[in-house]
Amino acid sequence: MKLRYILITPFLLFGCSWLPPEDEFIDVDSLHTISNFPIGSAVRFVPFKDDPALQRLQKHHFDSYTAGNDMKMNSIMPEEGVYDFSLIDAILAYTQETDQRLFGHNLIWHSSTPSWVKEKAQKDPEWLSDFMKRYIYTYVGRYRGAVHGWDVVNEGLRTKGGGYREDSIWYEVLGSRYIEQSFHYAHEADPEAVLFYNDFNTERDLEKFNFMIDMVEDFIKRGVPISGIGFQMHIRMDIPNEVIASTLRRAADTGLQIHLSEVDIIFNHHDDTRGGGVQKLTTLTPKMEQAQAQKYYELALMYQKLIPADQQYGITLWGFNDRDTWIRPFFGIQDWPTIYDERLQPKPALYGFLKGLR
């Protein structure tokens, strides 16, 4: 499959000329068509459902769909006793119509836990354990066989270094056991679903990575039904490839599925907190674009070379255009982390990613 786009600026990449043909158009290969594993995108269904240009790109390039926020607890159960599955049903219909894998992100995450759940849990700790079981049974059970895999627990570890995330109502009330319990409940609700633990900075924070691997290997040893490890891969341009490669290789040694689940690549820095961006670079230059393309190329190549084929769950981009990236509003910085620009035109990063997938 190929799409045709107006090429704005010719550029060089990897020592090869990426110049347009004589006319004003070039052909753009489909990412998922040339890949040996699923290529996903994270999308907010509203306003995506009313944006034909964005839909065209998403259908062309991706065969896996992750909901940006639409499948999180505060969207599903905004108030006690009320489940709202309408948006997920619409997403499921879209993925079935376009023959895409639907990935569930996520079941348990401290940041998407509704305030009413936190209030009840603080008053009645036993209630939280019962609620978690009922919620997972109801949610996963409803989409049994339709949602291919789940991020069962998202970001259950500290932001930096080893240890569990203590500023979480789940850990505060239930202790670390809530993580393995969540996997048991999800597996009981859908025995065929692929179940992931998902976290950020584990590709470069070795203390955090080692703690995660110890937890995962303990789960495997004790028969906790974990199927995979999700590396979010919100990475910076200056993260050494050698560090990323070593953590991917070690994670693959567990024998579990490996998902690069939220990929984007930024130039500026942040401290992992809302509004914590540091604006070092204010203009995207051709040189920066080429360097980013090289990074996308190397990441795709590492994944293919280091992760055995039967463990490659896929690579998912967390948003695929700079217009809709979460990086800008969350960290309060201007950056350019994706493979398409604000006008939905392809960037060198797209071609670097394509070359790596080949």
Side-chain angles (χ1 to χ4, degrees):
M1 297 175 61
K2 292 186 176 182
L3 285 180
R4 295 171 69 82
Y5 299 92
I6 298 175
L7 185 67
I8 303 301
T9 306
F11 54 89
L12 298 176
L13 187 61
F14 318 129
C16 300
S17 176
W18 291 79
L19 298 175
E22 293 301 319
D23 62 21
E24 62 180 346
F25 292 99
I26 63 170
D27 292 330
V28 180
D29 289 329
S30 162
L31 291 169
H32 81 82
T33 299
I34 68 168
S35 174
N36 294 320
F37 44 79
I39 302 296
S41 61
V43 175
R44 292 178 298 122
F45 199 63
V46 178
F48 171 78
K49 66 182 182 65
D50 297 318
D51 191 329
L54 205 59
Q55 285 189 36
R56 183 169 178 242
L57 284 176
Q58 200 276 336
K59 292 174 185 177
H60 175 68
H61 280 303
F62 304 101
D63 58 354
S64 182
Y65 183 111
T66 297
N69 291 314
D70 302 324
M71 295 183 74
K72 295 172 181 175
M73 187 181 289
N74 53 0
S75 297
I76 300 303
M77 208 173 189
E79 55 184 287
E80 186 174 2
V82 178
Y83 288 89
D84 184 357
F85 294 118
S86 58
L87 207 52
I88 303 179
D89 290 344
I91 292 170
L92 178 59
Y94 172 80
T95 57
Q96 291 178 337
E97 176 187 344
T98 55
D99 195 26
Q100 298 186 46
R101 178 180 73 183
L102 178 56
F103 184 74
H105 176 80
N106 52 56
L107 294 176
I108 303 295
W109 184 36
H110 68 284
S111 287
S112 64
T113 304
S115 57
W116 70 265
V117 172
K118 298 177 183 178
E119 293 168 2
K120 290 208 66 170
Q122 290 169 342
K123 297 176 182 178
D124 185 0
E126 291 187 6
W127 172 87
L128 185 61
S129 180
D130 292 338
F131 166 76
M132 183 175 72
K133 182 177 182 178
R134 286 184 282 107
Y135 176 78
I136 293 175
Y137 273 19
T138 300
Y139 190 7
V140 177
R142 177 183 176 89
Y143 296 102
R144 178 172 178 167
V147 174
H148 188 273
W150 294 89
D151 283 331
V152 177
V153 175
N154 188 54
E155 301 177 7
L157 304 184
R158 291 176 182 171
T159 296
K160 298 178 181 178
Y164 296 103
R165 179 179 292 277
E166 297 176 355
D167 59 339
S168 163
I169 191 65
W170 303 97
Y171 182 85
E172 178 185 334
V173 174
L174 302 177
S176 62
R177 64 189 177 94
Y178 85 89
I179 298 178
E180 63 180 271
Q181 285 180 327
S182 299
F183 279 91
H184 282 295
Y185 298 152
H187 180 67
E188 290 162 8
D190 186 353
E192 300 302 318
V194 186
L195 306 179
F196 286 84
Y197 175 78
N198 190 57
D199 218 320
F200 64 94
N201 290 351
T202 49
E203 78 285 345
R204 63 180 177 87
D205 183 335
L206 297 184
E207 286 187 55
K208 183 171 184 176
F209 173 79
N210 288 331
F211 190 89
M212 179 188 70
I213 289 296
D214 287 345
M215 177 186 74
V216 167
E217 290 185 330
D218 175 61
F219 284 179
I220 295 171
K221 181 179 179 181
R222 294 191 292 109
V224 176
I226 184 171
S227 316
I229 299 172
F231 285 81
Q232 290 187 11
M233 287 287 177
H234 298 297
I235 62 176
R236 299 195 314 258
M237 285 291 298
D238 61 352
I239 303 302
N241 288 341
E242 295 79 8
V243 175
I244 298 173
S246 67
T247 52
L248 285 178
R249 188 182 295 109
R250 177 67 181 88
D253 288 343
T254 64
L256 298 181
Q257 299 282 298
I258 305 298
H259 186 195
L260 306 191
S261 58
E262 305 183 19
V263 174
D264 47 31
I265 303 177
I266 71 170
F267 296 93
N268 289 290
H269 289 195
H270 57 76
D271 63 2
D272 295 306
T273 64
R274 185 180 294 275
V278 179
Q279 189 79 59
K280 292 187 175 184
L281 301 167
T282 58
T283 302
L284 180 63
T285 67
K287 184 177 180 180
M288 290 164 60
E289 287 185 315
Q290 293 170 28
Q292 186 185 53
Q294 180 75 15
K295 198 73 169 179
Y296 268 101
Y297 163 76
E298 291 163 347
L299 184 62
L301 206 61
M302 277 190 284
Y303 184 75
Q304 294 187 87
K305 287 182 174 293
L306 299 177
I307 309 301
D310 61 352
Q311 293 174 246
Q312 294 172 353
Y313 193 76
I315 298 178
T316 295
L317 306 183
W318 201 254
F320 56 88
N321 71 85
D322 291 342
R323 183 193 71 185
D324 299 326
T325 176
W326 73 289
I327 293 289
R328 294 176 176 180
F330 187 87
F331 293 115
I333 54 176
Q334 178 76 356
D335 212 287
W336 313 268
T338 74
I339 61 174
Y340 277 83
D341 68 16
E342 293 90 343
R343 294 175 294 171
L344 303 184
Q345 293 295 314
K347 294 165 56 181
L350 170 64
Y351 300 99
F353 194 40
L354 277 166
K355 182 174 180 180
L357 292 175
R358 289 188 198 280

